[in-house]
Short mmCIF file of all heavy atoms in Angstrom, two decimals:
data_model
loop_
_atom_site.label_atom_id
_atom_site.label_comp_id
_atom_site.label_asym_id
_atom_site.label_seq_id
_atom_site.Cartn_x
_atom_site.Cartn_y
_atom_site.Cartn_z
N ILE A 159 1.95 -8.20 -2.40
CA ILE A 159 1.84 -9.66 -2.46
C ILE A 159 1.10 -10.08 -3.72
O ILE A 159 0.12 -9.45 -4.12
CB ILE A 159 1.10 -10.20 -1.22
CG1 ILE A 159 1.92 -9.90 0.03
CG2 ILE A 159 0.85 -11.69 -1.34
CD1 ILE A 159 1.26 -10.34 1.30
N GLU A 160 1.56 -11.18 -4.30
CA GLU A 160 0.92 -11.75 -5.48
C GLU A 160 0.60 -13.21 -5.17
O GLU A 160 1.50 -14.01 -4.94
CB GLU A 160 1.90 -11.65 -6.65
CG GLU A 160 1.42 -12.18 -7.95
CD GLU A 160 2.48 -11.98 -9.03
OE1 GLU A 160 3.59 -12.50 -8.87
OE2 GLU A 160 2.16 -11.31 -10.02
N VAL A 161 -0.71 -13.56 -5.13
CA VAL A 161 -1.12 -14.94 -4.90
C VAL A 161 -1.05 -15.67 -6.23
O VAL A 161 -1.53 -15.17 -7.24
CB VAL A 161 -2.55 -15.01 -4.31
CG1 VAL A 161 -2.94 -16.43 -4.02
CG2 VAL A 161 -2.64 -14.17 -3.05
N GLN A 162 -0.42 -16.89 -6.24
CA GLN A 162 -0.14 -17.53 -7.52
C GLN A 162 -0.93 -18.80 -7.79
O GLN A 162 -1.38 -19.01 -8.91
CB GLN A 162 1.36 -17.85 -7.60
CG GLN A 162 2.19 -16.58 -7.59
CD GLN A 162 3.67 -16.87 -7.56
OE1 GLN A 162 4.12 -17.74 -6.83
NE2 GLN A 162 4.42 -16.13 -8.35
N HIS A 163 -1.09 -19.70 -6.81
CA HIS A 163 -1.85 -20.93 -7.08
C HIS A 163 -2.39 -21.53 -5.80
O HIS A 163 -1.96 -21.21 -4.70
CB HIS A 163 -1.04 -21.97 -7.86
CG HIS A 163 0.32 -22.25 -7.29
ND1 HIS A 163 0.53 -22.83 -6.07
CD2 HIS A 163 1.54 -22.03 -7.78
CE1 HIS A 163 1.82 -22.95 -5.84
NE2 HIS A 163 2.46 -22.47 -6.86
N VAL A 164 -3.39 -22.42 -5.98
CA VAL A 164 -4.06 -23.10 -4.87
C VAL A 164 -4.24 -24.56 -5.27
O VAL A 164 -4.33 -24.88 -6.47
CB VAL A 164 -5.42 -22.44 -4.53
CG1 VAL A 164 -6.41 -22.57 -5.68
CG2 VAL A 164 -6.00 -22.98 -3.24
N GLN A 165 -4.32 -25.44 -4.28
CA GLN A 165 -4.48 -26.87 -4.56
C GLN A 165 -5.95 -27.25 -4.56
O GLN A 165 -6.68 -26.97 -3.62
CB GLN A 165 -3.73 -27.69 -3.52
CG GLN A 165 -3.69 -29.16 -3.84
CD GLN A 165 -2.78 -29.92 -2.90
OE1 GLN A 165 -2.36 -29.42 -1.88
NE2 GLN A 165 -2.50 -31.16 -3.25
N SER A 166 -6.39 -27.93 -5.63
CA SER A 166 -7.77 -28.40 -5.74
C SER A 166 -7.91 -29.76 -5.07
O SER A 166 -6.92 -30.35 -4.65
CB SER A 166 -8.20 -28.47 -7.21
OG SER A 166 -7.44 -29.44 -7.88
N VAL A 167 -9.15 -30.29 -5.00
CA VAL A 167 -9.38 -31.57 -4.33
C VAL A 167 -8.70 -32.74 -5.03
O VAL A 167 -8.43 -33.76 -4.41
CB VAL A 167 -10.89 -31.87 -4.14
CG1 VAL A 167 -11.52 -30.89 -3.19
CG2 VAL A 167 -11.61 -31.91 -5.48
N ASP A 168 -8.42 -32.62 -6.33
CA ASP A 168 -7.74 -33.71 -7.04
C ASP A 168 -6.21 -33.55 -7.02
O ASP A 168 -5.50 -34.31 -7.66
CB ASP A 168 -8.26 -33.86 -8.47
CG ASP A 168 -8.00 -32.65 -9.34
OD1 ASP A 168 -7.46 -31.63 -8.85
OD2 ASP A 168 -8.35 -32.70 -10.53
N GLY A 169 -5.72 -32.55 -6.29
CA GLY A 169 -4.29 -32.40 -6.10
C GLY A 169 -3.57 -31.49 -7.08
O GLY A 169 -2.40 -31.19 -6.90
N GLN A 170 -4.26 -31.02 -8.10
CA GLN A 170 -3.58 -30.17 -9.07
C GLN A 170 -3.47 -28.73 -8.55
O GLN A 170 -4.23 -28.30 -7.71
CB GLN A 170 -4.28 -30.21 -10.43
CG GLN A 170 -5.66 -29.59 -10.46
CD GLN A 170 -6.25 -29.61 -11.85
OE1 GLN A 170 -5.63 -29.17 -12.80
NE2 GLN A 170 -7.45 -30.16 -11.96
N GLN A 171 -2.48 -28.02 -9.06
CA GLN A 171 -2.28 -26.62 -8.70
C GLN A 171 -3.08 -25.75 -9.67
O GLN A 171 -2.80 -25.75 -10.86
CB GLN A 171 -0.80 -26.25 -8.75
CG GLN A 171 0.06 -27.02 -7.78
CD GLN A 171 -0.32 -26.76 -6.33
OE1 GLN A 171 -0.56 -25.63 -5.92
NE2 GLN A 171 -0.42 -27.81 -5.54
N VAL A 172 -4.05 -25.02 -9.14
CA VAL A 172 -4.90 -24.16 -9.96
C VAL A 172 -4.29 -22.76 -9.95
O VAL A 172 -4.06 -22.17 -8.87
CB VAL A 172 -6.34 -24.11 -9.40
CG1 VAL A 172 -7.20 -23.14 -10.19
CG2 VAL A 172 -6.95 -25.51 -9.40
N ALA A 173 -4.00 -22.23 -11.13
CA ALA A 173 -3.40 -20.89 -11.24
C ALA A 173 -4.40 -19.83 -10.80
O ALA A 173 -5.58 -19.87 -11.15
CB ALA A 173 -2.97 -20.64 -12.68
N LEU A 174 -3.91 -18.88 -10.01
CA LEU A 174 -4.74 -17.77 -9.55
C LEU A 174 -4.28 -16.48 -10.21
O LEU A 174 -3.12 -16.33 -10.57
CB LEU A 174 -4.66 -17.65 -8.02
CG LEU A 174 -5.17 -18.86 -7.25
CD1 LEU A 174 -4.97 -18.65 -5.76
CD2 LEU A 174 -6.64 -19.11 -7.55
N ASN A 175 -5.22 -15.56 -10.32
CA ASN A 175 -4.91 -14.26 -10.90
C ASN A 175 -3.90 -13.56 -10.02
O ASN A 175 -4.12 -13.40 -8.83
CB ASN A 175 -6.19 -13.44 -11.02
CG ASN A 175 -5.99 -12.17 -11.82
OD1 ASN A 175 -4.88 -11.82 -12.18
ND2 ASN A 175 -7.07 -11.50 -12.10
N GLY A 176 -2.79 -13.17 -10.59
CA GLY A 176 -1.71 -12.55 -9.83
C GLY A 176 -1.92 -11.09 -9.53
O GLY A 176 -0.95 -10.34 -9.48
N ALA A 177 -3.17 -10.67 -9.34
CA ALA A 177 -3.42 -9.28 -9.02
C ALA A 177 -2.69 -8.91 -7.73
O ALA A 177 -2.80 -9.59 -6.72
CB ALA A 177 -4.91 -9.02 -8.86
N GLU A 178 -1.92 -7.86 -7.79
CA GLU A 178 -1.12 -7.43 -6.65
C GLU A 178 -2.02 -6.91 -5.53
O GLU A 178 -2.94 -6.15 -5.77
CB GLU A 178 -0.19 -6.32 -7.12
CG GLU A 178 0.73 -5.80 -6.07
CD GLU A 178 1.65 -4.74 -6.63
OE1 GLU A 178 2.38 -5.04 -7.58
OE2 GLU A 178 1.61 -3.61 -6.11
N GLN A 179 -1.74 -7.37 -4.33
CA GLN A 179 -2.46 -6.89 -3.16
C GLN A 179 -1.44 -6.23 -2.24
O GLN A 179 -0.34 -6.74 -2.06
CB GLN A 179 -3.18 -8.03 -2.48
CG GLN A 179 -4.19 -8.65 -3.42
CD GLN A 179 -5.12 -9.63 -2.74
OE1 GLN A 179 -5.49 -9.46 -1.60
NE2 GLN A 179 -5.48 -10.66 -3.46
N ILE A 180 -1.83 -5.11 -1.66
CA ILE A 180 -0.90 -4.33 -0.85
C ILE A 180 -1.33 -4.40 0.61
O ILE A 180 -2.47 -4.10 0.95
CB ILE A 180 -0.86 -2.86 -1.32
CG1 ILE A 180 -0.40 -2.80 -2.77
CG2 ILE A 180 0.06 -2.05 -0.41
CD1 ILE A 180 -0.50 -1.43 -3.39
N LEU A 181 -0.39 -4.84 1.45
CA LEU A 181 -0.59 -4.81 2.89
C LEU A 181 0.20 -3.63 3.41
O LEU A 181 1.42 -3.53 3.20
CB LEU A 181 -0.11 -6.11 3.53
CG LEU A 181 -0.77 -7.39 3.03
CD1 LEU A 181 -0.13 -8.60 3.68
CD2 LEU A 181 -2.26 -7.37 3.30
N LYS A 182 -0.50 -2.71 4.07
CA LYS A 182 0.11 -1.44 4.47
C LYS A 182 0.13 -1.33 5.99
O LYS A 182 -0.81 -1.72 6.66
CB LYS A 182 -0.71 -0.30 3.87
CG LYS A 182 -0.13 1.06 4.03
CD LYS A 182 -0.97 2.08 3.28
CE LYS A 182 -0.34 3.44 3.36
NZ LYS A 182 -1.12 4.43 2.60
N GLY A 183 1.23 -0.79 6.50
CA GLY A 183 1.35 -0.56 7.93
C GLY A 183 0.38 0.52 8.41
O GLY A 183 -0.29 1.18 7.62
N THR A 184 0.34 0.71 9.72
CA THR A 184 -0.61 1.65 10.31
C THR A 184 -0.04 3.05 10.47
O THR A 184 -0.73 4.04 10.19
CB THR A 184 -1.06 1.13 11.69
OG1 THR A 184 -1.52 -0.21 11.55
CG2 THR A 184 -2.18 1.97 12.26
N TYR A 185 1.20 3.16 10.90
CA TYR A 185 1.76 4.47 11.26
C TYR A 185 2.91 4.86 10.35
O TYR A 185 3.74 4.03 9.99
CB TYR A 185 2.24 4.45 12.71
CG TYR A 185 1.14 4.11 13.68
CD1 TYR A 185 1.12 2.87 14.31
CD2 TYR A 185 0.11 5.00 13.95
CE1 TYR A 185 0.10 2.54 15.19
CE2 TYR A 185 -0.90 4.68 14.81
CZ TYR A 185 -0.91 3.46 15.43
OH TYR A 185 -1.92 3.13 16.28
N ALA A 186 2.96 6.15 10.01
CA ALA A 186 4.03 6.68 9.16
C ALA A 186 5.38 6.42 9.81
O ALA A 186 5.51 6.39 11.04
CB ALA A 186 3.82 8.17 8.94
N SER A 187 6.37 6.20 8.98
CA SER A 187 7.77 5.96 9.35
C SER A 187 7.99 4.69 10.16
O SER A 187 9.02 4.53 10.79
CB SER A 187 8.38 7.18 10.06
OG SER A 187 7.86 7.30 11.37
N GLN A 188 7.02 3.79 10.15
CA GLN A 188 7.17 2.52 10.86
C GLN A 188 6.95 1.34 9.90
O GLN A 188 6.32 1.48 8.86
CB GLN A 188 6.18 2.42 12.01
CG GLN A 188 6.46 3.39 13.13
CD GLN A 188 5.55 3.16 14.32
OE1 GLN A 188 4.67 2.30 14.28
NE2 GLN A 188 5.75 3.92 15.37
N GLY A 189 7.47 0.20 10.29
CA GLY A 189 7.29 -1.02 9.52
C GLY A 189 5.85 -1.50 9.62
O GLY A 189 5.01 -0.88 10.28
N MET A 190 5.58 -2.59 8.98
CA MET A 190 4.22 -3.15 9.05
C MET A 190 4.28 -4.62 9.43
O MET A 190 5.28 -5.29 9.24
CB MET A 190 3.47 -2.97 7.73
CG MET A 190 4.01 -3.70 6.53
SD MET A 190 3.56 -5.44 6.35
CE MET A 190 1.84 -5.44 6.59
N GLN A 191 3.17 -5.09 9.99
CA GLN A 191 3.04 -6.49 10.36
C GLN A 191 1.63 -6.94 10.00
O GLN A 191 0.65 -6.34 10.43
CB GLN A 191 3.29 -6.68 11.86
CG GLN A 191 3.27 -8.13 12.27
CD GLN A 191 3.66 -8.31 13.74
OE1 GLN A 191 3.62 -7.38 14.53
NE2 GLN A 191 4.04 -9.52 14.09
N ALA A 192 1.53 -8.00 9.20
CA ALA A 192 0.24 -8.60 8.85
C ALA A 192 0.13 -9.89 9.66
O ALA A 192 0.97 -10.77 9.55
CB ALA A 192 0.17 -8.89 7.36
N GLN A 193 -0.88 -9.97 10.47
CA GLN A 193 -1.07 -11.12 11.37
C GLN A 193 -1.54 -12.35 10.62
O GLN A 193 -2.25 -12.26 9.62
CB GLN A 193 -2.09 -10.78 12.46
CG GLN A 193 -1.64 -9.69 13.41
CD GLN A 193 -0.42 -10.09 14.22
OE1 GLN A 193 -0.29 -11.23 14.64
NE2 GLN A 193 0.48 -9.14 14.42
N MET A 194 -1.14 -13.51 11.15
CA MET A 194 -1.65 -14.77 10.63
C MET A 194 -3.18 -14.71 10.71
O MET A 194 -3.73 -14.25 11.70
CB MET A 194 -1.12 -15.93 11.48
CG MET A 194 -1.56 -17.28 11.00
SD MET A 194 -0.74 -18.66 11.82
CE MET A 194 -1.14 -18.41 13.51
N GLY A 195 -3.85 -15.13 9.65
CA GLY A 195 -5.31 -15.10 9.61
C GLY A 195 -5.87 -13.89 8.88
O GLY A 195 -7.08 -13.80 8.67
N ALA A 196 -5.01 -12.96 8.46
CA ALA A 196 -5.48 -11.79 7.71
C ALA A 196 -6.12 -12.26 6.40
O ALA A 196 -5.60 -13.14 5.72
CB ALA A 196 -4.33 -10.83 7.43
N ALA A 197 -7.26 -11.68 6.06
CA ALA A 197 -8.03 -12.10 4.88
C ALA A 197 -7.43 -11.56 3.58
O ALA A 197 -7.03 -10.41 3.51
CB ALA A 197 -9.47 -11.64 5.01
#
């Protein structure tokens, strides 16, 4: 995942550093699920 921008209080889109973040599943040979609210 690459986070790209966030909205400031004046409504403009602030560019965020596109550092790649990896969400990884738990068990080998299975898919992964990241729950709503994951930090």
Side-chain angles (χ1 to χ4, degrees):
I159 296 178
E160 180 178 59
V161 182
Q162 297 175 317
H163 50 65
V164 65
Q165 187 172 13
S166 65
V167 294
D168 63 357
Q170 67 178 307
Q171 297 298 316
V172 176
L174 298 177
N175 189 352
E178 182 178 302
Q179 299 190 35
I180 300 172
L181 302 176
K182 188 175 184 178
T184 307
Y185 302 107
S187 73
Q188 292 186 357
M190 65 82 48
Q191 184 174 19
Q193 295 296 322
M194 182 171 59

